[in-house]
Amino acid sequence: MSNEGERPVEPTSYDLQPPVPTTGHVPTQLSAEPGDVRRVGGRYRLMGRLGHGGMGTVWRAFDEVVERDVAVKEPRPPEHLDEAGRASFFERLRREARAAAKIDHPSVVTVHDVVLDEGRPWIVMELVDGRSLGDVIAEGTLEEPEAARIGLAVLGALAAAHRRGVLHRDVKPDNVLLGAHDRVVLTDFGIARVEGERPLTETGAFVGSPEYVAPERALGQHPGPASDLWSLGVLLYTAVEGLSPFRRNGTPATLQAVLTAEPPAPSRAKGPLGALIMGLLRKEPAARPSVEELRAVLSDVAAGPARLPQLAGGPAGSGPAALLRRSRPARFAAMGGAALAVLALLLVLLDPFGAKEPDGWEQRTEKTVAATFEVPADFERRKGEADDGRGWLWFSSADGIYEIQVWLHPEAAEEPLRAAEEHLDDLKDNAWRHDLKDVSGNSYVKEYGELDGAEVSMTSRERRADDNAPRDQRLYFFHGGGGDRLWRVQVRLPAEPGTAHDEGMRIYERLLGSFRPQK
């Protein structure tokens, strides 16, 4: 794998056998016959073209050393560039690889390698089987929860990039891939800027996608993380409306709209998501919502259609969504008597400080597992501590159909996906020790609101059960609250499709949606 930008790139494949020479155009689909095979770096066999953009062509390839499918980006510099221009173009490709490799997040594409072939640097990345968000939007707009789910994943990727000093600078639907298991992946760091690196000389053409570029970038000012958040706002607007609010005929007109036009509020996102989008599209970077505000709203919207009550006839600008439309210092000063009355009524109706929820759930703050979360109020509760110091809680319905377990591993530095894989392997290899049989399942990366971890979906049978019916288990592993603490949340439910299974999944999703690790 290529390094993370701390020293000059040293591709791992330079010393392998020379690539098979080719002449002329490489065909879109390459046959498996030895004479027609094109290998890059002596190990990556090109299988077919996936797509192309302004900086190159992306190929599906097969890594013959570790035997896995990968994506390979072939650089294609414009023919009019002179030697200095080509050198700058290739350096941009190397920087793209370094920028992506600096970021460790499940919603950022993984860079495996950079290889030099015929004097050009090729980027080898993970292959994300799926479609781009741009392709999906071309077929129709997204519902609010789905748009918020995708936006939440992209926000997580951007926040991780910004922590490593990387600005993406080209956030748009075509650069967001939707893969298996609801995975969302931000790709194409081709024009990213890394803190501390000398900016490359531009060719004179506008760099980026005009209808998604922030006003400060259009003015040539120094961009910051808020510039990427503006682009996220345009992406969300496009997802729910089907079109960027700044699209015009030609780049100059589009940039002028970015600088001066006030976009209409999205008609298909009128609640908190609509207010959030409009907040992101403020011209002044400092006035845009923070990452924390964005994460809270997107998590709530992604969880489902439930909203705070809207009081008929209330004054414009009052209510919870209005907080996103004002700068933080002015929020409480702007609340007049009418708004305070609305807030007071909401507090009476919702009783947010009470433990019991109106639908039979209760919020619990549990020191044993250092977390606050919601569970059905009538579930029986037990707690314990394992020999290795792990604390755990167990909740069960009176009829035994549903079981919840919450585990806290106080010192577990491994990544959630690794922990999930090891746990599933243990259940499969040592099923008898867990009084199980016929264990099957898989593990994968998944996000639930603010939780960023890995999930196990498995089915098994209990050795001693009278009915021998299959049972589903969903287990979720994630870090949070600082340090090396790792939580494992799991729910057991009937495996057969039907009302009981659906209710079990609802319990699981609400439990995770309400879960808040303590600092």
Side-chain angles (χ1 to χ4, degrees):
M1 175 176 281
S2 57
N3 65 66
E4 296 188 354
E6 304 301 327
R7 57 183 185 280
V9 178
E10 298 173 359
T12 60
S13 301
Y14 284 5
D15 56 349
L16 299 177
Q17 66 187 67
V20 176
T22 63
T23 58
H25 174 65
V26 179
T28 299
Q29 297 294 333
L30 301 173
S31 74
E33 296 301 320
D36 295 331
V37 169
R38 171 73 191 276
R39 290 183 178 83
V40 176
R43 64 186 282 186
Y44 303 108
R45 173 160 41 95
L46 303 186
M47 306 297 292
R49 190 169 68 177
L50 294 173
H52 64 278
M55 296 185 67
T57 300
V58 180
W59 297 84
R60 174 187 284 269
F62 183 73
D63 185 344
E64 295 179 330
V65 174
V66 297
E67 297 184 347
R68 67 177 171 189
D69 292 323
V70 295
V72 179
K73 186 169 185 177
E74 173 191 9
R76 288 185 176 273
E79 294 182 358
H80 68 271
L81 292 181
D82 58 16
E83 183 174 350
R86 289 174 61 87
S88 178
F89 182 93
F90 292 148
E91 176 58 23
R92 188 179 298 281
L93 265 293
R94 296 186 184 94
R95 289 192 178 190
E96 175 183 355
R98 288 199 297 269
K102 288 173 74 72
I103 308 162
D104 181 15
H105 192 275
S107 289
V108 173
V109 66
T110 300
V111 172
H112 297 312
D113 200 1
V114 176
V115 297
L116 193 64
D117 190 288
E118 298 179 349
R120 299 179 297 163
W122 296 54
I123 303 176
V124 183
M125 303 167 285
E126 68 168 319
L127 178 66
V128 181
D129 269 324
R131 309 170 65 197
S132 76
L133 176 58
D135 290 337
V136 174
I137 294 173
E139 297 179 358
T141 56
L142 275 59
E143 296 296 327
E144 286 187 63
E146 178 65 1
R149 181 188 73 83
I150 293 170
L152 189 63
V154 176
L155 176 67
L158 291 175
H162 296 161
R163 287 194 296 269
R164 296 304 306 270
V166 177
L167 297 179
H168 188 279
R169 302 204 305 163
D170 200 16
V171 178
K172 60 183 181 180
D174 287 343
N175 287 341
V176 175
L177 299 181
L178 308 179
H181 310 301
D182 291 335
R183 190 174 176 214
V184 179
V185 183
L186 180 62
T187 66
D188 201 341
F189 284 73
I191 63 170
R193 179 164 293 178
V194 180
E195 184 177 358
E197 287 192 347
R198 178 179 57 84
L200 291 173
T201 302
E202 307 293 358
T203 62
F206 180 82
V207 178
S209 304
E211 59 191 292
Y212 293 92
V213 72
E216 58 270 24
R217 274 202 63 213
L219 290 170
Q221 299 172 356
H222 183 69
S227 302
D228 279 346
L229 297 184
W230 164 285
S231 302
L232 174 59
V234 184
L235 179 147
L236 289 170
Y237 192 109
T238 306
V240 296
E241 293 295 293
L243 192 69
S244 163
F246 305 108
R247 180 175 295 180
R248 302 292 190 273
N249 291 326
T251 296
T254 297
L255 293 177
Q256 183 66 26
V258 167
L259 292 172
T260 62
E262 289 297 335
S267 61
R268 292 174 51 84
K270 297 182 179 180
L273 181 60
L276 175 143
I277 291 172
M278 297 305 290
L280 285 170
L281 299 184
R282 294 182 182 129
K283 306 298 186 187
E284 178 57 44
R288 295 167 198 158
S290 67
V291 170
E292 291 74 20
E293 291 173 304
L294 297 175
R295 184 177 290 119
V297 174
L298 290 173
S299 298
D300 289 343
V301 177
R307 298 286 186 271
L308 289 172
Q310 300 296 315
L311 300 180
S318 65
L323 297 181
L324 287 172
R325 295 194 289 269
R326 304 189 183 109
S327 60
R328 278 172 284 182
R331 285 181 188 161
F332 294 102
M335 291 182 68
L340 289 174
V342 171
L343 178 59
L345 180 56
L346 288 176
L347 292 176
V348 171
L349 292 174
L350 298 180
D351 188 20
F353 306 108
K356 291 292 181 69
E357 300 292 330
D359 56 355
W361 285 62
E362 64 180 356
Q363 185 181 84
R364 305 188 64 92
T365 298
E366 298 282 3
K367 294 182 179 180
T368 302
V369 293
T372 298
F373 51 87
E374 295 178 5
V375 294
D378 58 354
F379 274 30
E380 178 187 355
R381 174 187 177 276
R382 291 187 299 181
K383 70 175 182 177
E385 183 174 334
D387 294 337
D388 57 4
R390 294 176 298 165
W392 58 268
L393 291 172
W394 178 86
F395 300 86
S396 176
S397 61
D399 52 16
I401 293 179
Y402 306 110
E403 295 179 5
I404 296 172
Q405 291 186 35
V406 181
W407 290 76
L408 171 61
H409 306 246
E411 296 182 2
E414 69 265 34
E415 290 301 310
L417 182 59
R418 176 70 177 274
E421 292 170 341
E422 290 179 348
H423 189 83
L424 181 58
D425 288 343
D426 176 62
L427 292 176
K428 289 179 177 178
D429 297 341
N430 303 291
W432 59 271
R433 185 161 54 88
H434 300 280
D435 285 332
L436 299 176
K437 62 181 180 180
D438 302 331
V439 178
S440 63
N442 54 74
S443 55
Y444 41 86
V445 172
K446 188 166 185 177
E447 290 185 359
Y448 279 97
E450 296 182 12
L451 306 181
D452 185 1
E455 184 173 75
V456 171
S457 174
M458 59 167 283
T459 302
S460 64
R461 299 178 189 270
E462 295 183 9
R463 285 183 174 274
R464 303 177 185 179
D466 295 333
D467 59 4
N468 201 33
R471 301 271 286 170
D472 270 359
Q473 279 200 67
R474 294 297 173 99
L475 304 92
Y476 194 65
F477 297 76
F478 56 94
H479 287 292
D484 291 333
R485 297 183 298 173
L486 179 75
W487 279 266
R488 184 179 91 221
V489 176
Q490 61 189 73
V491 174
R492 298 188 67 196
L493 61 147
E496 296 294 335
T499 303
H501 174 84
D502 294 344
E503 175 64 15
M505 289 304 300
R506 190 181 74 86
I507 291 173
Y508 175 70
E509 291 171 358
R510 177 159 178 176
L511 172 63
L512 288 176
S514 66
F515 203 97
R516 298 293 182 268
Q518 297 174 0
K519 301 293 184 181

